Amino acid sequence: MKRRKILYHVTPDTDASPIYHEMVSQLALGMQAQADVDLSAALDDHPRLSLADYDLVHVFGCWNKVAANLMARAYREHVPTVFSPLGGLQPWVMKQRKSSLALSSQREMTSRALAVHVCGKLEHDTFLSLKWNNRVALIKNPVLTSKVSFSEMASQMDALYQKVIDTFARLLLSHNSCRLIGELLVAGIDDTLLRDHKRVGVIRSGLSQLDEAEWRKIYLYASDECVLETLRQGLARLQMDAPDLPVDTIDRYPCHLHYTTDSLEGDKLLSRNPLTKSKLSDIIDTDEKKERRIIVRLLNLKYEMERNEAPLSHLADLYQSVRFVDADEDRLNEVARAMGVLEFAERIMAVLHHTLGLTEGFMPFRERADKASLAMVNHITKFNTY
């Protein structure tokens, strides 16, 4: 993998402490074996700094407006962050902070960090009791203990940085990788894509340009969204080699997204509303199996998306239904309108077109491409989202 570029920002109060000044200085030196580290203790004009040049920002110290602004900017620009409060959030320190504005700013800064580093067991336990951020790593300060060396601290910190990057792989995908994920899924679902030699050539060219770090993010994202096997099937059909990455062995923080690993349900409604089930039974006959299955899948995908429970794999399942099932389109539109899901169905056609390249000739509903459909693309792909 290429060397990382990391920004260390130290608040003035932290830098003025001999204990923490030495810790950060020695850590920056120790990290030089794995990364290029820029160390700053006076970043008062950080808006001029291009954060896009950095793979990660690590802020040391709290109760500082410049540090809070830097963390907020990194959050907006999708630059991974690690925060070390260095005892500044201990109960006896917090009691001295009377300003509700300062407290609110510090809480926001802390919650935005993709991981929080603490130096001891007591700090670890008291910090967790705040419930401001549950992604915490305990890495001891060699200045205060002989149980860890600076080289060991640097190694542990590097592992933490990798854990943060791996945990938020979906946040860091390039535009090209997002496009190629969609193409690989189509190749894995629909082998007729292989007949489009020009398209296949463009896909292969794009895949050949990916480095190991980008493949790692793609595999982790695909695993999170339950499409890893489909993606691998696409690679096999395209006869493209990719790094073999055992994603299950990679250390990451728990994902806040929780999905079923099953296919999108097409036989029964997920909604427990008896009126919805009764209405569907009244509107569509039991012998209209193809039409009923597509409508049920539409209703279930809408139900999941409203609850942030829809993996990308379920969009791929819907693609298969509308692409390969020969259903009565007029009847589908009639039932979808009666069930109040027609607008959703039309917008999902736009999502399928944008994400998986479904063409108009295979759409059973007209495509409604608007701001809402674009929001749905982000909602179900989670590309570049927290």
Side-chain angles (χ1 to χ4, degrees), residues 162-187:
Q162 187 63 58
K163 183 174 182 177
V164 166
I165 290 169
D166 289 338
T167 300
F168 291 88
R170 65 184 179 277
L171 182 70
L172 306 172
L173 289 165
S174 69
H175 177 76
N176 186 48
S177 293
C178 294
R179 178 184 65 83
L180 289 170
I181 288 169
E183 296 282 32
L184 284 173
L185 294 185
V186 176

Side-chain angles (χ1 to χ4, degrees), residues 117-149:
H117 156 239
V118 296
C119 295
K121 183 66 166 61
L122 175 62
E123 185 182 14
H124 176 273
D125 294 344
T126 54
F127 176 77
L128 282 179
S129 68
L130 286 175
K131 299 182 179 179
W132 285 4
N133 195 320
N134 60 3
R135 296 181 297 275
V136 187
L138 198 169
I139 300 175
K140 293 186 176 181
N141 180 357
V143 179
L144 298 176
T145 177
S146 59
K147 293 182 178 180
V148 61
S149 67

Side-chain angles (χ1 to χ4, degrees), residues 48-116:
R48 295 192 215 173
L49 189 71
S50 175
L51 294 187
D53 294 337
Y54 294 96
D55 297 298
L56 186 138
V57 173
H58 190 156
V59 174
F60 297 85
C62 46
W63 307 111
N64 180 271
K65 184 177 180 180
V66 172
N69 289 341
L70 177 62
M71 186 75 78
R73 186 177 160 214
Y75 184 90
R76 290 193 303 270
E77 297 182 19
H78 292 180
V79 180
T81 54
V82 173
F83 169 51
S84 298
L86 303 180
L89 297 179
Q90 294 289 64
W92 51 90
V93 178
M94 297 277 283
K95 287 180 180 179
Q96 300 174 18
R97 298 289 170 173
K98 305 294 185 181
S99 169
S100 59
L101 183 61
L103 188 65
S104 176
S105 175
Q106 186 57 56
R107 179 170 186 167
E108 185 175 34
M109 173 184 171
T110 307
S111 64
R112 279 176 170 167
L114 301 193
V116 176

Side-chain angles (χ1 to χ4, degrees), residues 26 47 108 123 135 170 224 293 315-316 367 371 379:
Q26 291 295 326
E108 185 175 34
E123 185 182 14
R135 296 181 297 275
R170 65 184 179 277
D224 287 343
R293 184 169 179 79
L315 185 71
E367 179 183 0
K371 289 183 179 180
H379 190 118

Side-chain angles (χ1 to χ4, degrees), residues 269-282 303 339:
L269 291 173
L270 297 177
S271 172
R272 298 179 181 178
N273 188 335
L275 295 178
T276 302
K277 295 180 179 180
S278 175
K279 188 175 183 180
L280 183 64
S281 298
D282 292 342
Y303 178 88
M339 292 300 299

